[in-house]
Amino acid sequence: MQKAIWSGQMIRKVYNKKNLLLGLALISVFIAQQAFAQTTALHQIQFTSLPGNRIQLELAMDGEPRQIQTFNTENPARIAIDLMGVANKSGKRAIDIGLGKALSVRAVEAKGKTRVVINLTSSVPYTTKVEGNSVFLTLNGTSASALPKSVIDPVDKTKLIDERKGRRISHIDFRRGLAGEGRVLVNLSDASALVDVKEEGGKVIVDIMDTALPPELANHLDVIDFATPVTAIDIKPAGKNTRLIISAVGAYEFLSYQMGELLTVEFKRISKEQLDREVAEKFKYTGEKLTLDFQDIPVRTVLQILADVTDMNLVASDSVGGNVTLRLNNVPRDQALEVILTSKGLGKRVEGNVMMVGPASEIARQEKEALKAKQQVQELAPLVSEFIEISYASASEIAALLKAAKGQLISSRGGVTIDARTNTLLVQDTAEKIVEIKKIIQRIDRPVRQVMIESRIVIANDDFTRDLGIRFGLQGIDINGTSVIAAGGAIPSASGGAPPFGVGLPDALLVDLPVASPAGAVQFIIGKIGNSLLQLELSALQTEAKGEVISSPRVITSDQVQAEIRQGIEIPFQEATSSGATSTRFISAEINLTVTPRITPDDRINLELDVSKDAPDFSNIQPDGVPINTQNVTTTVLVDNGDTVILGGIYERTENLGVRKVPFFGDLPVVGNLFKAEFKQDNNRELLFFITPKILKEGLSVN
């Protein structure tokens, strides 16, 4: 009323020929603001069970719904309710129902409306009604032979067909997440399309209703290389629908969610422990399933019925009374019993095939008194003595373990004595405690597993050296009348010999760049230029060397016990003492392997390693002593049984290229080769550490 009066005053104020357009504009803005401010929202979805195996769902909103449309599908069985102009604030998570033929319900908002979809096991008749700000949907308990009739105006099928026209898949992609999860991404042209996700035969099937699949997207996608639980995706049309068949391997969990027009189906790998935990939580109750439907029945009668079903003898306390109304459909019998006891504040004790039921406080008091009586019996029980022989462990260590938990492993009245000679324990305690101690010792006194560790230290070298040298000389004599002019090199020749031309000119060289200790040399006279004699000597040396040194220490030790093996020599060194005299000190140069293995429950070995190889270098003796070349690696590594891994390595390469030449002349083209010598060296050296652990099985020997 306030809105209508305010609007009337506003119209009267602006209604004149001069301001007609302005008034109409203001009215339109006001109406739009009011409509925006009063948008209805869906806040909560609730469901209850009604007599006759019926289910009622309530869609609670903060205002009256304007327009409602409903329709259903038979395959898959679903009922959809479109709430026009209603926003969704109930969340996008599917709500499990699990009653009657109703499986779950979910609300999705798109294009100014909210669609509520109820998933069913099979089609059932239903009715809808509006009361205040809530919409009620009632599902009958019998299957429908025809399409259900709604109390609300029938659905405009023409409108629904128009809405579905043009629905199609825009794009399909696959992505890998940061944590290794696999995501199937489907782009829809219409966010309101119904999607059904289910798991059948180890595969996840996604059906997108009334949505066409372009021919170019119908394909088989092999995504095994992405290293996710998903291995393949088959995309194909299924009538008017689009179907995705997703194949996955291993233990995984999947979920589907939709944001706007993007549908995502995500697969995440889970561990075996997590899978076992989820299965245990999901199937906590393992009894035979039954259905109970009682109105105002005595609790003692229900308990007697459950006792008959479970073949248990029932003893009910006098405090058990009252009536209960219950409807349980396909519920495990142990869960049904727990639900009834919890609802009435009762508890139970089971001894053999007798079940005692009473108030929870009374049951707790009885159990407390039983524990006190048992404790008193233990305190008064006679002590007995028992000799326990220890086969593999140390008797002193086990005795220390038993004494450390005084009052837990042995009673306050008991005691333990050790006979070190026979490795035997003398235990004195009650008979019940001695049985427990024997079980503990039987679990501990076992042979320790053994591991053989083999290490290989490989040193490989590949050396190459090439040296080219030259000796070059020129001598000449010019006789003119009574004068003699002689010319030649100033470097003395190592070959000696008679002076040329019978003139006492020393045999000398212009260039002397020979190879030290050459492998081959050639001396020859090139020719005579006038009165000059040209001599040339070429020498060359090329050395190639390849070698490999392998050291392979191996040792056997028990699990979690350190072992060490070493072999080498001790080199003496002279050193001065504080008194001024000299003393001899020995330094070890040896191969050493120190290892501590730890066997994991899955038969892998965790190794703490220290591998070293020290060798004296007698070819490079210094005045202070002999240098020692050391190679060492210290690490911790996890290795599969029998596998070989490389702990580490060092690769060294030395390249040298040298030229000796006569200045200026050695830089001349072609001719410069007569005035220079070249030296080339390329040495390669590689050091590798290998380790191979092997778990020794019982009855096997090592060669």
Side-chain angles (χ1 to χ4, degrees), residues 47-50 52-57 73 76-79 95-105 117-126 137-145 327 329-330:
F47 61 90
T48 56
S49 177
L50 300 178
N53 200 21
R54 294 183 300 159
I55 307 296
Q56 186 179 72
L57 280 81
T73 60
R78 286 181 176 176
I79 298 175
I95 301 174
D96 293 329
I97 298 178
L99 295 176
K101 296 184 180 299
L103 297 177
S104 62
V105 60
V117 181
I118 302 97
N119 297 310
L120 308 172
T121 57
S122 61
S123 298
V124 295
Y126 67 94
L137 174 70
T138 303
L139 304 177
N140 294 334
T142 57
S143 299
S145 58
R327 181 183 177 279
N329 184 24
N330 202 25

Side-chain angles (χ1 to χ4, degrees), residues 2 65 233 482 506 626:
Q2 183 179 359
I233 306 170
T482 59
V626 180

